[in-house]
Amino acid sequence: MDIFKTTRALFHLPEGVTYLDGNSLGPLPHAAQDRVDAMMRDQWGEMLITGWNKAGWMEQPSRVGDRIGKLIGAEAGHVVLGDTLSVKVYQALASALELNPDRKVILSDSGNFPTDLYMAQGLIRMLDRDLELRVVPPEDVEANLKDDIAVMMLTQVDYRSGRMHDMAHLTEVAHRSNIITIWDLAHSAGAVPVDVSKAKADFAVGCSYKYLNSGPGGPAFIYVAPRYADVVTPALSGWLGHAAPFDFDLNYKAGAGIERMRVGTPAIIQIAALEAALDIWDMVDMAQVRSRAIELSELFIKEVETRCPELVLASPRDAAQRGSQVSFAHPQGYAIMQALIAHGVVGDFRAPDILRFGITPLYLGHDDIIRAAKTLQTVMDGALWDRDAYRVRARVT
Ligand SMILES: *Cc1c(COP(=O)(O)O)cnc(C)c1O
């Protein structure tokens, strides 16, 4: 029995829709709906405030965080959930900068997701100590890992092209110059095998609503390597990161290890959805998911290139250098994607010209890939995208 047939049945996939956008928002696991329902009725409804103790709500950010930790190769007890990824980037960067107080430069690349760069810009302004954000092309990162760099802050898999950095190699080169490393795993967790411990990453952050399927606004996660977990001083020193929140001490004292990266009250309803979604990951191993994803990606590239020669592959051709998405470029990319969605195949668009397709074996198979490529061909051959309605930019693209 193909395990991916089993996992596919665990998701709600709307009738008539082929969904290649799980890299942006994973679909609803049936169990998440039931789990949230039960949590609201039996825990929130019946236990009220006592749920924090009785149902273990207070431990959930680290307990469920550990389950994500397993998927990214983190040591047990070194991942915690909370807030949004933007906030976790800010926290990691503030702490990383404090570990290298005599240096002034944050190195990132132009393939990074803008919010990561924006958070760095805001933090630099707040710290007001002549810090610089140096943004170089992705292929120039290694050559820029020099002694003036305090922190290397990268997203492993490029959100537009799917190009993947070699985490272990860049981390090793960075460490030779005593640079602290932060890896954003937004498009890695649940997408490709990751081993933060083996790669010796210092900090890692990511979100749960993309490949991990926790639903819109699901909690982010942060990893701090054991060597720093008890050393870092959180910039967002909220009460739930305090050593003893219910002492209501007037002065902040950081909690033990990763607990100090908590800020405020966790989103328990959303964590219930995430936990149900993570149960599905217990049924597969990442190597198995990766090899199926590569198989499906190669098939998609071959089919689209044969059927739609006007679309230009915008992802690395070498599967080893690609995350779990495939992108194509076309000047009319936005309208093409809207027409494709209207015909039942959902991907998304990233400015200026990228059509993005997430490859997610848990709920996508060969038939879906073929159907997506054929529909794309229909849209291209008939110029079905060439309508004013498809050119109107929605708020979310
Ligand atoms: C999706 C994504 C984000 C989103 O951040 P939120 O705070 O969750 O909205 C941030 N960084 C990267 C690299 C992403 O891919």
Side-chain angles (χ1 to χ4, degrees):
M1 179 69 188
D2 181 357
I3 184 67
F4 295 116
K5 281 213 171 72
T6 308
T7 57
R8 180 190 176 96
L10 301 175
F11 288 90
H12 172 73
L13 299 164
E15 199 58 45
V17 170
T18 301
Y19 194 63
L20 282 83
D21 210 6
N23 54 314
S24 213
L25 175 69
L28 170 68
H30 295 300
Q33 187 155 14
D34 299 340
R35 193 78 58 91
V36 167
D37 210 46
M39 181 272 153
M40 293 209 282
R41 191 182 52 238
D42 303 338
Q43 297 186 11
W44 180 17
E46 294 302 318
M47 297 179 188
L48 296 166
I49 192 75
T50 67
W52 289 103
N53 291 320
K54 270 196 208 153
W57 294 344
M58 202 45 97
E59 290 76 42
Q60 284 185 8
S62 41
R63 188 176 57 76
V64 182
D66 261 348
R67 296 188 64 184
I68 292 181
K70 271 198 211 156
L71 292 172
I72 60 164
E75 300 84 350
H78 287 278
V79 173
V80 75
L81 302 176
D83 317 297
T84 67
L85 177 49
S86 303
V87 172
K88 276 2 212 178
V89 167
Y90 192 91
Q91 275 186 304
L93 185 56
S95 290
L97 285 167
E98 266 191 327
L99 292 170
N100 241 343
D102 299 329
R103 297 188 184 184
K104 301 279 187 199
V105 183
I106 301 161
L107 182 70
S108 193
D109 73 43
S110 53
N112 208 345
F113 191 82
T115 201
D116 296 40
L117 303 177
Y118 302 162
M119 295 312 277
Q121 289 159 9
L123 181 60
I124 287 170
R125 190 159 40 78
M126 291 311 292
L127 291 174
D128 195 21
R129 60 176 187 88
D130 296 323
L131 290 165
E132 175 200 338
L133 173 63
R134 189 172 295 163
V135 178
V136 301
E139 58 277 14
D140 293 349
V141 168
E142 183 169 349
N144 277 276
L145 291 170
K146 300 277 172 54
D147 286 350
D148 60 332
I149 309 291
V151 178
M152 176 185 84
M153 179 184 82
L154 296 175
T155 295
Q156 187 191 16
V157 176
D158 186 299
Y159 73 106
R160 272 185 298 219
S161 67
R163 185 260 321 123
M164 184 160 60
H165 277 306
D166 184 337
M167 186 188 318
H169 176 68
L170 287 178
T171 301
E172 192 201 321
V173 175
H175 284 170
R176 272 186 231 142
S177 298
N178 295 317
I179 296 165
I180 302 287
T181 58
I182 300 174
W183 287 98
D184 188 327
L185 305 177
H187 296 275
S188 309
V192 295
V194 178
D195 196 328
V196 290
S197 171
K198 203 161 147 213
K200 302 194 168 61
D202 300 305
F203 295 83
V205 292
C207 52
S208 65
Y209 53 80
K210 291 173 180 165
Y211 292 88
L212 298 178
N213 313 310
S214 70
F221 65 86
I222 184 166
Y223 162 82
V224 181
R227 59 191 170 281
Y228 294 128
D230 284 309
V231 177
V232 294
T233 44
L236 300 177
S237 40
W239 74 304
L240 290 188
H242 190 279
F246 285 85
D247 283 359
F248 298 104
D249 192 345
L250 295 185
N251 293 306
Y252 181 78
K253 181 167 169 272
I258 195 69
E259 289 285 320
R260 68 186 58 189
M261 289 310 202
R262 293 175 64 157
V263 182
T265 305
I268 299 301
I269 298 174
Q270 197 95 42
I271 293 177
L274 170 61
E275 244 210 312
L278 288 173
D279 287 346
I280 301 172
W281 287 97
D282 290 344
M283 304 168 63
V284 293
D285 72 55
M286 219 40 240
Q288 200 179 14
V289 173
R290 175 64 170 162
S291 71
R292 177 61 66 94
I294 289 176
E295 193 184 311
L296 295 176
S297 303
E298 298 285 290
L299 177 66
F300 189 60
I301 292 171
K302 179 170 84 69
E303 289 290 326
V304 173
E305 288 191 323
T306 313
R307 294 167 185 278
C308 314
E310 331 66 308
L311 298 179
V312 178
L313 183 67
S315 294
R317 194 166 289 280
D318 175 5
Q321 299 191 20
R322 210 169 53 220
S324 208
Q325 68 174 71
V326 173
S327 303
F328 289 93
H330 190 286
Q332 296 296 336
Y334 184 77
I336 293 168
M337 184 51 78
Q338 302 324 301
L340 190 62
I341 293 169
H343 288 79
V345 175
V346 180
D348 63 18
F349 171 80
R350 287 295 175 262
D353 60 356
I354 300 287
L355 297 115
R356 236 174 30 152
F357 301 93
I359 308 295
T360 49
L362 291 188
Y363 48 87
L364 272 185
H366 294 85
D367 295 352
D368 302 303
I369 296 295
I370 300 290
R371 170 152 189 263
K374 280 186 175 164
T375 310
L376 192 50
Q377 180 180 17
T378 305
V379 166
M380 296 308 294
D381 285 356
L384 303 184
W385 53 266
D386 194 7
R387 285 169 47 176
D388 287 344
Y390 292 147
R391 280 188 267 268
V392 180
R393 293 284 168 111
R395 194 150 174 208
V396 174
T397 65

